[in-house]
């Protein structure tokens, strides 16, 4: 009963290794946020400690405790659950020393110790070197699972000690189907959530549980449409707001730019006659109408502008300037 959506190749590899008793001592799960890295790691920890024949059963005491985060032999280190918070903290050497000590002791209540390091790119240099020692002299009955969005930010020596599994975003249609079949989400809603999540089902599931997520997205898109129609004063005002938001919560601003990109990509798809592929399916008529007001090249150029602005924000160059330019670049309507 593996709960991760998609990722058939990684799941079957882990299943086979479990069956053959040939698990690696350390795994590195690489993939974008919400793609399913933590779910897969928890499922592996459950499978290693499950008391039933079909592992993980999700029903036995061990499986339940691991899911609830109360199993003494399974620990999650690192990133706070709430990724919206401003800056993620580094994982320090003291945390890893404690892990090292705990890994040297036998399992306490289960069969196998599992340490999940979430956001492994945030290991400080000292912490990474300390972890490396543990990975070089693996204990029996101990498995490390490192999760990261970008393994190029890890020490190559750490990466080389782990078996690397890449978790790629799912095709939207596959994700939508899984949301309907496994999670009983209504098809139209499943398609919308799958599109907005960019193939990362964790986001879609969170949005299905919490209405606020979709509402926030609706507000962002409404604002986007207003800004497109606004004059320069309104646009620069918006850029200033975004810039000040960026200092408090970068993630939120990256998400806004993702929505802009989605929207303009939708306009492009409509222009290209592929309207059935758009992301914002709950805004079909608005998008059709909007697409009619622009030339194809205008839309293409503006998509490039959004990409460029996002890139500049990530490089932390003059944020306000990047956002002002993004506003200046909004193409004028009515020149078809
Ligand atoms: Zn179980």
């Amino acid at each position: 009963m593996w709960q991760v959506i998609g990722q058939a190749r990684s799941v079957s590899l882990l299943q086979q290794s479990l069956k053959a008793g040939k698990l690696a001592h350390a795994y590195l799960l690489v993939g974008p946020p919400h793609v399913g890295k933590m779910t897969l790691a928890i499922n592996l920890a459950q499978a290693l400690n499950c008391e039933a024949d079909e592992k993980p059963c999700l029903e036995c005491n061990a499986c339940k405790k691991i899911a609830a985060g109360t199993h003494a032999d399974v620990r999650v280190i690192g990133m706070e659950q709430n990724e919206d918070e401003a800056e993620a903290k580094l994982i320090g050497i003291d945390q890893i020393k404690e892990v090292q000590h705990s890994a040297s002791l036998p399992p306490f209540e289960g069969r196998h110790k599992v340490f999940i390091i979430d956001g492994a790119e945030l290991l400080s240099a000292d912490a990474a070197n300390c972890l490396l020692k543990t990975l070089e002299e693996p204990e029996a009955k101990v498995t490390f699972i490192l999760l990261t969005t970008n393994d190029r930010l890890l020490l190559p020596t750490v990466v080389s000690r782990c078996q690397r599994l890449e978790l790629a975003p799912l095709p939207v249609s596959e994700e939508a189907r899984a949301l309907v079949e496994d999670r009983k989400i209504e098809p139209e809603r499943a398609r919308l959530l799958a599109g907005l999540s960019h193939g990362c089902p964790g986001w879609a599931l969170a949005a299905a549980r919490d209405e606020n997520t979709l509402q926030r997205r609706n507000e962002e898109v409404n604002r986007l449409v207003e800004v497109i129609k606004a004059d320069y004063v309104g646009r620069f005002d918006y850029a200033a707001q975004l810039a000040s938001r960026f200092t408090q919560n970068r993630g939120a601003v990256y998400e806004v730019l993702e929505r802009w990109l989605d929207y303009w990509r939708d306009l492009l798809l409509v222009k290209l006659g592929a309207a059935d592929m758009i992301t914002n399916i709950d805004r079909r008529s608005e998008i059709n109408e909007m697409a009619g007001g622009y030339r194809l090249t205008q839309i293409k150029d503006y998509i490039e502008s959004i990409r460029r602005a996002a890139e500049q924000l990530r490089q932390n160059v003059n944020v306000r300037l990047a956002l002002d330019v993004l506003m200046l670049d909004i193409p004028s309507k009515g020149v078809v």
Side-chain angles (χ1 to χ4, degrees), residues 4-15 174:
V4 65
I5 294 179
Q7 314 304 339
R9 205 152 42 130
S10 295
V11 170
S12 106
L13 187 137
L14 291 173
Q15 277 174 323
E174 186 187 333

Side-chain angles (χ1 to χ4, degrees), residues 5 59 67 75 111 132 136 168 188 242 244 304 322 325:
I5 294 179
E59 306 269 309
R75 282 194 39 202
R111 302 168 181 197
L132 186 61
E136 279 168 345
E188 185 78 0
L242 277 186
S244 92
E304 261 327 297
V325 171

Side-chain angles (χ1 to χ4, degrees), residues 19-122:
K19 251 188 206 148
K22 284 187 177 160
L23 275 187
H25 290 288
Y27 288 93
L28 177 62
L29 310 187
V30 186
H34 307 296
V35 78
K37 300 184 294 297
M38 183 59 87
T39 308
L40 188 60
I42 295 286
N43 280 169
L44 178 57
Q46 287 171 318
L48 283 164
N49 284 287
C50 182
E51 294 149 15
D53 292 336
E54 279 294 313
K55 304 169 197 299
C57 72
L58 310 181
E59 306 269 309
C60 73
N61 199 30
C63 281
K64 279 187 181 159
K65 278 184 115 174
I66 293 169
T70 57
H71 195 288
D73 296 317
V74 177
R75 282 194 39 202
V76 177
I77 299 108
M79 212 127 74
E80 298 298 315
Q81 290 306 308
N82 190 354
E83 286 176 27
D84 298 342
E85 293 305 316
E87 288 294 280
K89 278 200 210 107
L90 284 182
I91 302 171
I93 188 160
D94 292 343
Q95 279 168 285
I96 297 302
K97 275 192 172 153
E98 201 200 316
V99 165
Q100 225 170 13
H101 173 68
S102 166
S104 68
L105 305 171
F108 181 70
E109 61 172 315
R111 302 168 181 197
H112 201 102
K113 288 207 167 192
V114 179
F115 297 94
I116 300 169
I117 302 182
D118 191 10
E121 70 276 10
L122 296 171

Side-chain angles (χ1 to χ4, degrees), residues 142-218:
V142 178
T143 301
F144 282 88
I145 311 174
L146 279 61
L147 317 183
T148 186
T149 52
N150 184 356
D151 58 341
R152 276 172 301 187
L153 300 176
L154 268 72
L155 277 187
T157 39
V158 168
V159 175
S160 71
R161 294 278 156 191
C162 302
Q163 179 163 357
R164 186 179 187 280
L165 297 178
E166 179 139 359
L167 280 66
L170 277 64
V172 169
S173 57
E174 186 187 333
E175 185 186 341
R177 192 167 54 237
L179 293 176
V180 173
E181 287 171 6
D182 305 346
R183 310 295 159 120
K184 311 293 170 224
I185 296 174
E186 182 267 319
E188 185 78 0
R189 188 170 157 83
R191 168 65 176 75
L192 176 66
L193 292 176
L196 291 173
S197 76
H198 302 120
C200 295
W203 189 93
L205 291 171
R209 280 192 301 270
D210 179 8
E211 271 305 319
N212 288 330
T213 308
L214 265 192
Q215 202 182 326
R216 215 167 42 231
R217 169 263 180 182
N218 289 342

